[in-house]
Amino acid sequence: MSKYIKSFSEDGIGVIQLNRPNVLNALNRDMVHEIVVQLETFDNDEAINVIVLKGNEKAFAAGADIEEMMEATPLSLELLNPFAEWDKISLIKKPILAAVNGFALGGGFELALHCDLIIAGEDAKFGFPEVNLGVLPGAGGTQFLAKAMGVRKALEWIWLGESMSAKIAYDYGVINRVVAKELVEEETMRLATKLTKQPPISLRLIKEAVHAATDLTLQEGKNLERKNFYLAFASEDQKEGMRAFSEKRPASFRGK
């Protein structure tokens, strides 16, 4: 039984809802562990094709649990290695969509950036206020934001510790879609439903290739893309997709 999240599935979509409303879903270590375990569970469930991560109408997650870090020392953090748990999110093979209303700050912003697509309400606020606490993002925030919006703009936002609106985040390519706050979940589920109709193996191989593109040289990235292209031809979905195209009918993908 999870203490800090709720989870359910419907029509091939696994949903994880952050559930610490009294602290605007601030992330403590146990909560991150629960999120990761549920992500891994959905990733290994053949009935799930897409994963949605959401908060509530007030906040996606308004940062990390500061009380939990107050007495930390360099040695205690080294021995605890808390960010190793976060690294597991990048190993999830299925698409992860973040539905963001309200605040996505600090660790909450990092959690959203670990997702593949981000759909946000017009009221959403994104940012890294850690500098105001004398620290900096530690779960990948500096890296994700720099890759998303470029080094100079990322430095400006992280140095100043200011929050950006959903529109600004969208304009810089940090998030995918901005909708009315009342429609965030509906739009996220609509997009997730469209992805459930796509061939799961193709989605998996595309995710690997696209995420690798920011770290590999062009030739290394093309080599990975070609490997995945060839690998797709080992799937039943490839044969079904091309056969359906030839027969001028909708394809029925099975993830095999």
Side-chain angles (χ1 to χ4, degrees):
M1 175 69 75
S2 297
K3 182 178 180 181
Y4 299 118
I5 65 171
K6 297 179 180 179
S7 63
F8 62 92
S9 62
E10 59 179 57
D11 301 325
I13 303 170
V15 179
I16 301 172
Q17 180 170 14
L18 310 184
N19 189 37
R20 292 187 77 200
N22 57 317
V23 289
L24 296 177
N25 292 330
L27 300 165
N28 61 23
R29 295 181 191 118
D30 287 342
M31 186 178 186
V32 172
H33 176 71
E34 289 181 8
I35 293 168
V36 170
V37 168
Q38 190 59 55
L39 285 170
E40 293 173 333
T41 299
F42 282 148
D43 204 33
N44 292 319
D45 186 343
E46 291 185 0
I48 301 298
N49 293 330
V50 181
I51 302 169
V52 168
L53 193 59
K54 66 179 184 176
N56 55 43
E57 67 278 1
K58 291 185 178 180
F60 179 72
D65 192 327
I66 303 303
E67 296 296 324
E68 193 175 56
M69 296 185 287
M70 290 285 288
E71 304 303 322
T73 68
L75 185 56
S76 71
L77 290 172
E78 170 64 24
L79 294 174
L80 184 63
N81 195 16
F83 299 120
E85 194 80 2
W86 287 79
D87 291 340
K88 296 177 183 178
I89 302 175
S90 297
L91 301 178
I92 302 300
K93 302 298 185 182
K94 293 174 181 175
I96 309 173
L97 280 59
V100 179
N101 267 325
F103 298 107
L105 304 175
F109 193 10
E110 287 174 308
L111 183 60
L113 289 170
H114 273 79
C115 298
D116 302 302
L117 303 179
I118 303 174
I119 297 86
E122 294 169 333
D123 67 329
K125 298 290 184 183
F126 300 88
F128 289 118
E130 285 89 341
V131 67
N132 299 315
L133 302 176
V135 291
L136 66 153
T142 60
Q143 305 305 297
F144 281 113
L145 196 61
K147 290 177 188 297
M149 70 189 319
V151 170
R152 287 179 177 82
K153 294 309 296 186
L155 275 173
E156 179 182 348
W157 285 104
I158 300 172
W159 271 344
L160 294 175
E162 297 175 346
S163 297
M164 67 180 80
S165 67
K167 183 182 184 306
I168 291 175
Y170 175 80
D171 288 343
Y172 280 111
V174 178
I175 66 177
N176 296 86
R177 300 184 182 186
V178 180
V179 298
K181 63 181 181 179
E182 299 85 3
L183 299 177
V184 172
E185 286 195 31
E186 179 181 332
E187 176 66 11
T188 304
M189 294 301 286
R190 188 185 71 81
L191 181 55
T193 298
K194 290 184 70 172
L195 288 174
T196 65
K197 304 294 191 296
Q198 302 292 75
I201 292 175
S202 291
L203 295 182
R204 177 190 184 111
L205 297 175
I206 290 166
K207 176 172 176 172
E208 180 187 26
V210 171
H211 280 301
T214 58
D215 297 317
L216 301 178
T217 66
L218 178 59
Q219 189 59 51
E220 288 170 337
K222 289 196 296 182
N223 289 342
L224 174 60
E225 178 187 85
R226 289 167 190 168
K227 174 191 76 72
N228 285 1
F229 178 81
Y230 301 149
L231 186 57
F233 278 74
S235 70
E236 294 178 15
D237 282 350
Q238 173 268 325
K239 295 172 180 58
E240 163 62 11
M242 293 190 175
R243 190 180 301 116
F245 177 82
S246 178
E247 297 171 0
K248 296 180 172 55
R249 61 172 174 81
S252 179
F253 298 116
R254 301 173 58 200
K256 297 182 178 180

Short mmCIF file of all heavy atoms in Angstrom, two decimals, residues 122-160:
data_model
loop_
_atom_site.label_atom_id
_atom_site.label_comp_id
_atom_site.label_asym_id
_atom_site.label_seq_id
_atom_site.Cartn_x
_atom_site.Cartn_y
_atom_site.Cartn_z
N GLU A 122 -2.63 26.77 -17.95
CA GLU A 122 -2.20 28.16 -18.12
C GLU A 122 -1.71 28.76 -16.81
O GLU A 122 -0.94 29.73 -16.82
CB GLU A 122 -3.36 28.99 -18.67
CG GLU A 122 -3.78 28.59 -20.07
CD GLU A 122 -5.09 29.23 -20.51
OE1 GLU A 122 -5.91 29.55 -19.61
OE2 GLU A 122 -5.27 29.42 -21.72
N ASP A 123 -2.13 28.19 -15.69
CA ASP A 123 -1.73 28.72 -14.39
C ASP A 123 -0.44 28.11 -13.86
O ASP A 123 0.04 28.48 -12.79
CB ASP A 123 -2.84 28.46 -13.37
CG ASP A 123 -3.03 26.97 -13.09
OD1 ASP A 123 -2.79 26.14 -14.00
OD2 ASP A 123 -3.41 26.63 -11.95
N ALA A 124 0.13 27.17 -14.58
CA ALA A 124 1.30 26.44 -14.08
C ALA A 124 2.52 27.35 -13.95
O ALA A 124 2.72 28.26 -14.76
CB ALA A 124 1.61 25.26 -14.99
N LYS A 125 3.33 27.07 -12.93
CA LYS A 125 4.57 27.81 -12.70
C LYS A 125 5.70 26.80 -12.56
O LYS A 125 5.62 25.84 -11.79
CB LYS A 125 4.48 28.64 -11.42
CG LYS A 125 3.40 29.71 -11.44
CD LYS A 125 3.73 30.83 -12.40
CE LYS A 125 2.69 31.94 -12.33
NZ LYS A 125 2.96 33.02 -13.32
N PHE A 126 6.78 27.05 -13.30
CA PHE A 126 7.94 26.17 -13.28
C PHE A 126 9.17 26.96 -12.82
O PHE A 126 9.32 28.13 -13.16
CB PHE A 126 8.22 25.62 -14.69
CG PHE A 126 7.09 24.83 -15.27
CD1 PHE A 126 6.08 25.46 -15.99
CD2 PHE A 126 7.04 23.45 -15.13
CE1 PHE A 126 5.03 24.73 -16.55
CE2 PHE A 126 6.00 22.71 -15.68
CZ PHE A 126 4.99 23.35 -16.38
N GLY A 127 10.05 26.30 -12.07
CA GLY A 127 11.26 27.01 -11.67
C GLY A 127 12.11 26.23 -10.69
O GLY A 127 11.69 25.21 -10.14
N PHE A 128 13.32 26.73 -10.52
CA PHE A 128 14.27 26.16 -9.57
C PHE A 128 14.67 27.23 -8.56
O PHE A 128 15.58 28.02 -8.80
CB PHE A 128 15.51 25.64 -10.30
CG PHE A 128 15.26 24.41 -11.12
CD1 PHE A 128 15.44 24.42 -12.50
CD2 PHE A 128 14.84 23.23 -10.52
CE1 PHE A 128 15.21 23.29 -13.25
CE2 PHE A 128 14.60 22.08 -11.26
CZ PHE A 128 14.78 22.10 -12.64
N PRO A 129 14.00 27.28 -7.40
CA PRO A 129 14.31 28.29 -6.39
C PRO A 129 15.45 27.89 -5.45
O PRO A 129 15.72 28.59 -4.47
CB PRO A 129 12.99 28.39 -5.62
CG PRO A 129 12.40 27.01 -5.71
CD PRO A 129 12.79 26.49 -7.07
N GLU A 130 16.14 26.78 -5.75
CA GLU A 130 17.15 26.25 -4.82
C GLU A 130 18.24 27.26 -4.48
O GLU A 130 18.78 27.24 -3.36
CB GLU A 130 17.81 24.99 -5.41
CG GLU A 130 16.96 23.75 -5.36
CD GLU A 130 16.06 23.57 -6.58
OE1 GLU A 130 15.84 24.57 -7.30
OE2 GLU A 130 15.60 22.45 -6.82
N VAL A 131 18.60 28.14 -5.43
CA VAL A 131 19.65 29.12 -5.16
C VAL A 131 19.31 29.98 -3.95
O VAL A 131 20.20 30.42 -3.21
CB VAL A 131 19.92 29.99 -6.41
CG1 VAL A 131 18.73 30.88 -6.72
CG2 VAL A 131 21.19 30.80 -6.26
N ASN A 132 18.03 30.21 -3.71
CA ASN A 132 17.60 31.02 -2.58
C ASN A 132 17.77 30.30 -1.24
O ASN A 132 17.67 30.93 -0.18
CB ASN A 132 16.13 31.42 -2.76
CG ASN A 132 15.90 32.24 -4.01
OD1 ASN A 132 16.65 33.17 -4.30
ND2 ASN A 132 14.87 31.90 -4.76
N LEU A 133 18.06 29.00 -1.31
CA LEU A 133 18.34 28.22 -0.10
C LEU A 133 19.84 27.95 0.04
O LEU A 133 20.26 27.22 0.92
CB LEU A 133 17.59 26.88 -0.16
CG LEU A 133 16.07 26.96 -0.28
CD1 LEU A 133 15.49 25.56 -0.43
CD2 LEU A 133 15.48 27.67 0.92
N GLY A 134 20.61 28.53 -0.86
CA GLY A 134 22.06 28.33 -0.81
C GLY A 134 22.52 27.04 -1.44
O GLY A 134 23.66 26.60 -1.21
N VAL A 135 21.67 26.40 -2.24
CA VAL A 135 22.05 25.15 -2.90
C VAL A 135 21.72 25.26 -4.39
O VAL A 135 21.65 26.35 -4.94
CB VAL A 135 21.36 23.93 -2.25
CG1 VAL A 135 21.90 23.70 -0.84
CG2 VAL A 135 19.84 24.10 -2.20
N LEU A 136 21.50 24.15 -5.04
CA LEU A 136 21.20 24.10 -6.46
C LEU A 136 20.42 22.82 -6.76
O LEU A 136 20.36 21.93 -5.91
CB LEU A 136 22.48 24.14 -7.30
CG LEU A 136 23.44 22.94 -7.20
CD1 LEU A 136 24.25 22.81 -8.49
CD2 LEU A 136 24.40 23.11 -6.02
N PRO A 137 19.80 22.71 -7.92
CA PRO A 137 19.11 21.47 -8.26
C PRO A 137 20.08 20.30 -8.18
O PRO A 137 21.25 20.42 -8.56
CB PRO A 137 18.64 21.70 -9.70
CG PRO A 137 18.55 23.19 -9.83
CD PRO A 137 19.67 23.72 -8.99
N GLY A 138 19.58 19.15 -7.69
CA GLY A 138 20.47 18.00 -7.53
C GLY A 138 20.00 16.73 -8.20
O GLY A 138 20.73 15.74 -8.24
N ALA A 139 18.75 16.75 -8.73
CA ALA A 139 18.21 15.54 -9.36
C ALA A 139 18.16 15.69 -10.87
O ALA A 139 17.29 15.14 -11.53
CB ALA A 139 16.82 15.23 -8.82
N GLY A 140 19.12 16.45 -11.41
CA GLY A 140 19.22 16.58 -12.86
C GLY A 140 18.70 17.87 -13.43
O GLY A 140 18.73 18.07 -14.65
N GLY A 141 18.23 18.77 -12.59
CA GLY A 141 17.60 19.99 -13.08
C GLY A 141 18.48 20.85 -13.96
O GLY A 141 18.04 21.36 -15.00
N THR A 142 19.74 21.03 -13.57
CA THR A 142 20.63 21.86 -14.38
C THR A 142 20.84 21.25 -15.77
O THR A 142 20.91 21.96 -16.77
CB THR A 142 22.01 22.03 -13.70
OG1 THR A 142 22.62 20.73 -13.53
CG2 THR A 142 21.88 22.72 -12.36
N GLN A 143 20.90 19.94 -15.82
CA GLN A 143 21.16 19.25 -17.08
C GLN A 143 19.92 19.24 -17.98
O GLN A 143 20.00 19.56 -19.17
CB GLN A 143 21.61 17.81 -16.81
CG GLN A 143 22.80 17.70 -15.88
CD GLN A 143 23.99 18.50 -16.37
OE1 GLN A 143 24.53 18.22 -17.44
NE2 GLN A 143 24.39 19.51 -15.61
N PHE A 144 18.78 18.88 -17.40
CA PHE A 144 17.55 18.82 -18.21
C PHE A 144 17.19 20.18 -18.77
O PHE A 144 16.81 20.31 -19.94
CB PHE A 144 16.39 18.30 -17.35
CG PHE A 144 16.37 16.81 -17.17
CD1 PHE A 144 16.60 16.25 -15.92
CD2 PHE A 144 16.13 15.96 -18.23
CE1 PHE A 144 16.57 14.87 -15.74
CE2 PHE A 144 16.11 14.58 -18.07
CZ PHE A 144 16.33 14.03 -16.81
N LEU A 145 17.28 21.23 -17.93
CA LEU A 145 16.86 22.54 -18.39
C LEU A 145 17.82 23.09 -19.44
O LEU A 145 17.39 23.70 -20.42
CB LEU A 145 16.75 23.52 -17.22
CG LEU A 145 15.97 24.80 -17.53
CD1 LEU A 145 14.53 24.48 -17.92
CD2 LEU A 145 15.99 25.77 -16.34
N ALA A 146 19.13 22.87 -19.25
CA ALA A 146 20.10 23.33 -20.24
C ALA A 146 19.88 22.65 -21.59
O ALA A 146 19.98 23.28 -22.65
CB ALA A 146 21.53 23.07 -19.76
N LYS A 147 19.56 21.36 -21.57
CA LYS A 147 19.30 20.64 -22.82
C LYS A 147 18.01 21.11 -23.47
O LYS A 147 17.87 21.10 -24.70
CB LYS A 147 19.24 19.13 -22.55
CG LYS A 147 20.59 18.51 -22.19
CD LYS A 147 20.44 17.03 -21.86
CE LYS A 147 21.72 16.43 -21.31
NZ LYS A 147 22.84 16.46 -22.25
N ALA A 148 17.04 21.52 -22.65
CA ALA A 148 15.74 21.92 -23.18
C ALA A 148 15.75 23.34 -23.75
O ALA A 148 15.17 23.61 -24.81
CB ALA A 148 14.67 21.82 -22.10
N MET A 149 16.41 24.30 -23.07
CA MET A 149 16.29 25.70 -23.47
C MET A 149 17.62 26.36 -23.80
O MET A 149 17.64 27.54 -24.18
CB MET A 149 15.56 26.50 -22.39
CG MET A 149 16.33 26.70 -21.11
SD MET A 149 15.32 27.43 -19.75
CE MET A 149 14.34 28.68 -20.57
N GLY A 150 18.72 25.62 -23.68
CA GLY A 150 20.03 26.20 -23.96
C GLY A 150 20.72 26.67 -22.69
O GLY A 150 20.07 26.99 -21.69
N VAL A 151 22.03 26.74 -22.74
CA VAL A 151 22.84 27.02 -21.57
C VAL A 151 22.58 28.40 -20.99
O VAL A 151 22.37 28.56 -19.77
CB VAL A 151 24.34 26.86 -21.90
CG1 VAL A 151 25.21 27.39 -20.75
CG2 VAL A 151 24.67 25.39 -22.18
N ARG A 152 22.57 29.43 -21.81
CA ARG A 152 22.47 30.79 -21.29
C ARG A 152 21.13 31.06 -20.62
O ARG A 152 21.07 31.66 -19.53
CB ARG A 152 22.73 31.80 -22.41
CG ARG A 152 24.20 31.85 -22.82
CD ARG A 152 24.45 32.83 -23.96
NE ARG A 152 25.87 32.89 -24.26
CZ ARG A 152 26.51 32.00 -25.03
NH1 ARG A 152 25.84 30.99 -25.57
NH2 ARG A 152 27.81 32.12 -25.26
N LYS A 153 20.05 30.62 -21.24
CA LYS A 153 18.75 30.85 -20.62
C LYS A 153 18.59 30.01 -19.36
O LYS A 153 18.01 30.46 -18.37
CB LYS A 153 17.62 30.55 -21.61
CG LYS A 153 17.57 31.49 -22.81
CD LYS A 153 17.58 32.96 -22.43
CE LYS A 153 16.36 33.39 -21.64
NZ LYS A 153 16.33 34.85 -21.40
N ALA A 154 19.12 28.78 -19.39
CA ALA A 154 19.03 27.93 -18.20
C ALA A 154 19.80 28.57 -17.04
O ALA A 154 19.31 28.60 -15.90
CB ALA A 154 19.58 26.54 -18.50
N LEU A 155 20.98 29.09 -17.31
CA LEU A 155 21.75 29.76 -16.26
C LEU A 155 20.97 30.94 -15.68
O LEU A 155 20.92 31.13 -14.46
CB LEU A 155 23.08 30.27 -16.84
CG LEU A 155 24.24 29.28 -16.88
CD1 LEU A 155 25.41 29.88 -17.63
CD2 LEU A 155 24.66 28.89 -15.46
N GLU A 156 20.35 31.73 -16.55
CA GLU A 156 19.60 32.89 -16.08
C GLU A 156 18.49 32.47 -15.12
O GLU A 156 18.35 33.03 -14.02
CB GLU A 156 19.01 33.63 -17.28
CG GLU A 156 18.18 34.85 -16.91
CD GLU A 156 17.57 35.53 -18.12
OE1 GLU A 156 17.96 35.20 -19.27
OE2 GLU A 156 16.69 36.38 -17.92
N TRP A 157 17.69 31.49 -15.52
CA TRP A 157 16.57 31.07 -14.68
C TRP A 157 17.03 30.42 -13.39
O TRP A 157 16.48 30.67 -12.31
CB TRP A 157 15.66 30.12 -15.46
CG TRP A 157 14.82 30.81 -16.48
CD1 TRP A 157 15.00 30.83 -17.84
CD2 TRP A 157 13.69 31.64 -16.24
NE1 TRP A 157 14.06 31.60 -18.45
CE2 TRP A 157 13.22 32.12 -17.49
CE3 TRP A 157 12.99 32.03 -15.08
CZ2 TRP A 157 12.12 32.96 -17.63
CZ3 TRP A 157 11.88 32.85 -15.21
CH2 TRP A 157 11.46 33.31 -16.46
N ILE A 158 18.06 29.58 -13.46
CA ILE A 158 18.51 28.87 -12.25
C ILE A 158 19.28 29.81 -11.32
O ILE A 158 19.14 29.74 -10.10
CB ILE A 158 19.34 27.63 -12.62
CG1 ILE A 158 18.50 26.67 -13.46
CG2 ILE A 158 19.82 26.90 -11.37
CD1 ILE A 158 19.28 25.50 -14.05
N TRP A 159 20.08 30.70 -11.88
CA TRP A 159 20.80 31.67 -11.04
C TRP A 159 19.83 32.59 -10.28
O TRP A 159 20.03 32.90 -9.11
CB TRP A 159 21.71 32.53 -11.92
CG TRP A 159 23.08 31.95 -12.12
CD1 TRP A 159 23.69 30.96 -11.40
CD2 TRP A 159 24.03 32.37 -13.11
NE1 TRP A 159 24.95 30.72 -11.88
CE2 TRP A 159 25.19 31.58 -12.93
CE3 TRP A 159 24.03 33.32 -14.12
CZ2 TRP A 159 26.33 31.71 -13.73
CZ3 TRP A 159 25.15 33.46 -14.91
CH2 TRP A 159 26.29 32.66 -14.71
N LEU A 160 18.81 33.06 -10.97
CA LEU A 160 17.88 34.01 -10.35
C LEU A 160 16.85 33.32 -9.46
O LEU A 160 16.26 33.95 -8.58
CB LEU A 160 17.16 34.83 -11.43
CG LEU A 160 18.06 35.78 -12.24
CD1 LEU A 160 17.26 36.46 -13.34
CD2 LEU A 160 18.71 36.82 -11.34
#
